[in-house]
Amino acid sequence: MESRDNIESLVRNNPFMQYNHICAGTVTRDAAEVYLDVTENALNIYGMVHGGALYTVADCCAGMTARTDGRAYVTQSSSVQFIRNTHGGRITAHGRIVHRGRYTVIVDVTITDDHDTLLFSSTFTMFCIKEK
């Protein structure tokens, strides 16, 4: 498993997560959490969290979850369901490994709001690009 220092380093050195204000939460073997404090820049024209922001948070969470074995991964594919939405607050993505193979990892990611309401559900297949 990646150490907390290594995970924090990955986040600090990940310009995409920084640009999108996505922060690491709890990280354990085969599970990870990231969150986004919603600002006006993450909202769509209807004042709700943009679907692309939800997907971006989930994708970052899936990558971090996959990397808990110390290897490097990229997204190979995903299936997503937009269930509900919110106008602000904090959204939190929770990722967990469903299957870890030699080169691919399947990660389930859900996103909830401040009230633990399910907003988004997804499954990502992550592809290993670099061994330990």
Side-chain angles (χ1 to χ4, degrees), residues 22-40:
I22 299 169
C23 302
T26 304
V27 178
T28 61
R29 176 68 179 191
D30 292 343
E33 176 182 285
V34 302
Y35 62 90
L36 171 69
D37 290 323
V38 176
T39 64
E40 187 176 297

Side-chain angles (χ1 to χ4, degrees), residues 10-128:
L10 286 170
V11 172
R12 278 193 306 274
N13 296 314
N14 183 330
F16 188 73
M17 285 181 69
Q18 290 175 4
Y19 179 81
N20 288 288
H21 309 287
I22 299 169
C23 302
T26 304
V27 178
T28 61
R29 176 68 179 191
D30 292 343
E33 176 182 285
V34 302
Y35 62 90
L36 171 69
D37 290 323
V38 176
T39 64
E40 187 176 297
N41 292 335
L43 301 178
N44 62 24
I45 61 172
Y46 307 109
M48 297 179 288
V49 177
H50 192 284
L54 289 164
Y55 182 87
T56 298
V57 170
D59 185 48
C60 291
C61 183
M64 188 170 291
T65 303
R67 285 194 302 268
T68 62
D69 71 349
R71 300 188 300 166
Y73 292 86
V74 295
T75 304
Q76 183 174 349
S77 65
S78 65
S79 171
V80 304
Q81 295 78 42
F82 296 91
I83 298 168
R84 295 190 147 222
N85 211 319
T86 187
H87 296 277
R90 176 175 284 185
I91 59 173
T92 304
H94 310 272
R96 69 174 183 82
I97 300 293
V98 174
H99 171 77
R100 190 180 288 281
R102 184 170 178 180
Y103 295 105
T104 60
V105 174
I106 299 172
V107 183
D108 275 348
V109 178
T110 58
I111 298 177
T112 57
D113 67 9
D114 288 334
H115 306 290
D116 210 27
T117 302
L118 182 64
L119 305 176
F120 183 96
S121 179
S122 57
T123 301
F124 284 78
T125 301
M126 308 302 290
F127 182 76
C128 182

